[in-house]
């Protein structure tokens, strides 16, 4: 899905393209509408075009073709400082010679705001991120997480309608990064601002977003809610990029009543839901999430085909058991089971039969 129509069009990319020095397009015919108050994440691998799109929206890059509109206004030729957009970078971009308060006051001073009004807005922004006590410190006296909070407050201090965030949590350790994800999400919910967020971290995107645009090779591969992306990927790239995913190569034997019968390369038959395959004899890649695979007979659908698997490795992960299997010639098939009381532990070398509900397996285009 390359685009999705929205009636509340606050940010619009209309047939936007970007190339450098007339060479190959980095962004290819982007059509994207972002609603007011939405948290939209641009997600994808390095070089997929997501950051270039953010930089064009910010005004630091110019579109080669097409139009970018903000609240109905064409902003292609509007300089960055006149777009009224807040920006948060991974490296914080705080002025080291200024105190925290001076860093926040600076964008207000540039806009001609009086001292008394500046002080009120700076205090309010610091209170939003629970950093009021640090107003007289300099950035070098703050931890990475504290600096990121200040960078976020500076982006919010002049009440922008749109805030752009470019990998803002990439420099933080895992625990702090996860904590900041929830802080940003809660700030977005309480303030009602529009956020466009860029990351290559799929977990971050799933946690924070209203919708996610998955980029690859300069195009949006799918635009959907986090649950739709995870549960119903449109193609093999999205299925492989979002979350852990088992992949089995095969050929379509038949498609009847919204259900595909797939013959795997080793000859076994399995069931799946056809997504972008249409006819018998077509090559397919079947995608199944590890947590949707069952090995207990009582948990398997009565009409689902099962397939033999050999246990290769069992890994204890605390809340989960992760088991790697040999299935249909692949040694990288994984199942995940919750660590509940009485959960059976599978031993390496053990032979089991596995299966799944056809709705949980998706027959996709081969990579």
């Amino acid at each position: 899905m390359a685009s999705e129509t929205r009636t509340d069009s606050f940010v619009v990319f209309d047939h936007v393209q970007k190339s450098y020095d007339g060479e190959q397009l980095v962004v290819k015919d982007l059509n994207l509408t972002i609603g007011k108050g939405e948290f939209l994440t641009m997600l994808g691998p390095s070089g997929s075009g997501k950051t270039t799109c953010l930089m064009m929206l910010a005004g630091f890059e110019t579109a080669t073709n097409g139009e970018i509109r903000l609240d109905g206004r064409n902003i292609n030729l509007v300089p960055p400082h006149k777009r009224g957009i807040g920006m948060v970078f991974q490296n914080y971009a705080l002025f080291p010679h200024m105190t925290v308060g001076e860093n926040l006051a600076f964008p207000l001073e540039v806009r001609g705001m009086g001292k008394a009004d500046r002080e009120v807005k700076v205090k309010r922004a610091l209170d939003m991120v629970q950093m009021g006590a640090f107003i007289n410190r300099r950035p070098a006296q703050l931890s990475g997480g504290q600096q990121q909070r200040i960078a976020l407050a500076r982006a919010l201090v002049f009440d922008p309608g749109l805030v752009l965030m470019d990998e803002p949590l990439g420099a933080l350790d895992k625990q702090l990064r996860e904590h900041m994800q929830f802080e940003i999400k809660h700030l977005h919910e309480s303030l009602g601002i529009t956020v466009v967020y860029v990351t290559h971290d799929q977990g971050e995107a799933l946690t924070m977003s209203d919708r996610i645009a998955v980029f690859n090779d300069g195009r949006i591969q799918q635009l959907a809610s986090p649950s739709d992306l995870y549960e119903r990927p449109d193609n093999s790239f999205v299925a492989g990029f979002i979350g852990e995913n088992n992949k089995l190569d095969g050929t379509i034997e038949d498609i009847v009543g919204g259900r595909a019968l797939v013959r795997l390369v080793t000859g076994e038959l399995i069931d799946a839901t056809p997504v972008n395959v249409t006819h018998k004899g077509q090559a397919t890649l079947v995608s199944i999430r590890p947590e949707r695979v069952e090995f207990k007979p009582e948990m398997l659908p009565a009409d689902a085909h099962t397939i033999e698997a050999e246990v290769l490795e069992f890994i204890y992960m605390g809340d989960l058991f992760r088991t790697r299997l040999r299935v249909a010639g692949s040694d990288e098939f994984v199942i995940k089971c919750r660590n509940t009381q009485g959960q059976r532990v599978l031993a390496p070398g053990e032979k089991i039969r596995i299966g799944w509900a056809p709705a949980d397996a998706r027959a996709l285009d081969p990579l």
Side-chain angles (χ1 to χ4, degrees), residues 164-216:
L164 311 183
M165 302 191 187
D166 184 21
E167 302 271 8
L169 308 182
L172 306 180
D173 62 59
K174 182 176 184 295
Q175 187 172 5
L176 182 55
R177 188 167 67 243
E178 290 174 352
H179 178 73
M180 285 297 298
Q181 287 171 16
F182 290 110
E183 283 204 12
I184 292 172
K185 181 179 175 69
H186 294 152
L187 264 178
H188 165 256
E189 291 168 350
S190 64
L191 298 176
I193 53 174
T194 307
V195 176
V196 180
Y197 193 99
V198 163
T199 184
H200 64 274
D201 185 320
Q202 48 172 296
E204 199 164 277
L206 291 170
T207 298
M208 303 174 74
S209 316
D210 295 322
R211 288 189 304 161
I212 302 169
V214 180
F215 279 74
N216 189 44

Side-chain angles (χ1 to χ4, degrees), residues 61-292:
E61 297 283 358
T62 304
T64 306
N65 292 298
E67 188 175 290
I68 301 173
R69 295 189 293 275
L70 176 59
D71 204 14
R73 174 191 180 203
N74 184 334
I75 58 171
N76 282 38
L77 301 179
V78 177
H81 67 281
K82 292 189 176 180
R83 296 191 180 194
I85 295 173
M87 190 87 195
V88 184
F89 298 95
Q90 179 177 334
N91 64 357
Y92 319 131
L94 299 172
F95 298 115
H97 63 287
M98 293 183 180
T99 65
V100 164
E102 290 165 345
N103 263 281
L104 266 68
F106 180 76
L108 302 175
E109 193 172 354
V110 168
R111 287 167 172 80
M113 186 176 291
K115 183 179 179 183
D117 289 337
R118 290 202 305 267
E119 289 176 353
V120 170
K121 284 191 174 288
V122 167
K123 182 180 184 306
R124 188 185 67 175
L126 287 174
D127 287 345
M128 282 182 200
V129 296
Q130 297 160 19
M131 290 290 289
F134 297 82
I135 190 169
N136 294 316
R137 292 197 189 178
R138 297 189 188 276
Q141 298 172 302
L142 305 175
S143 68
Q146 290 169 338
Q147 289 186 59
Q148 192 55 277
R149 283 190 177 89
I150 298 306
L152 181 59
R154 188 179 60 182
L156 297 172
V157 72
F158 60 93
D159 300 316
L162 175 63
V163 175
L164 311 183
M165 302 191 187
D166 184 21
E167 302 271 8
L169 308 182
L172 306 180
D173 62 59
K174 182 176 184 295
Q175 187 172 5
L176 182 55
R177 188 167 67 243
E178 290 174 352
H179 178 73
M180 285 297 298
Q181 287 171 16
F182 290 110
E183 283 204 12
I184 292 172
K185 181 179 175 69
H186 294 152
L187 264 178
H188 165 256
E189 291 168 350
S190 64
L191 298 176
I193 53 174
T194 307
V195 176
V196 180
Y197 193 99
V198 163
T199 184
H200 64 274
D201 185 320
Q202 48 172 296
E204 199 164 277
L206 291 170
T207 298
M208 303 174 74
S209 316
D210 295 322
R211 288 189 304 161
I212 302 169
V214 180
F215 279 74
N216 189 44
D217 192 29
R219 297 186 187 276
I220 293 179
Q221 300 293 312
Q222 189 170 350
L223 174 63
S225 68
S227 60
D228 275 351
L229 274 183
Y230 188 84
E231 305 288 351
R232 290 172 284 279
D234 275 355
N235 57 46
S236 292
F237 175 81
V238 175
F241 192 76
I242 303 287
E244 192 167 13
N245 189 58
N246 291 308
K247 296 169 284 190
L248 295 174
D249 291 307
T251 304
I252 300 294
E253 284 278 307
D254 201 3
I255 299 178
V256 179
R259 188 160 166 170
L261 186 63
V262 179
R263 188 168 296 279
L264 300 178
V265 291
T266 44
E268 298 94 335
L269 287 169
I270 62 171
D271 298 299
T273 297
V275 177
N276 50 5
V277 291
T278 57
H279 57 271
K280 182 177 180 178
Q282 189 174 357
T284 185
L285 185 149
V286 178
S287 160
I288 314 132
R289 298 292 183 192
E291 67 273 15
R292 298 304 172 88

Side-chain angles (χ1 to χ4, degrees), residues 308-311 326 344 346-354:
E308 186 175 273
E310 180 184 351
V311 178
R326 177 176 292 126
R344 179 181 164 196
L346 298 171
E350 187 176 350
K351 300 286 180 69
I352 58 174
R353 292 198 72 82
I354 60 171

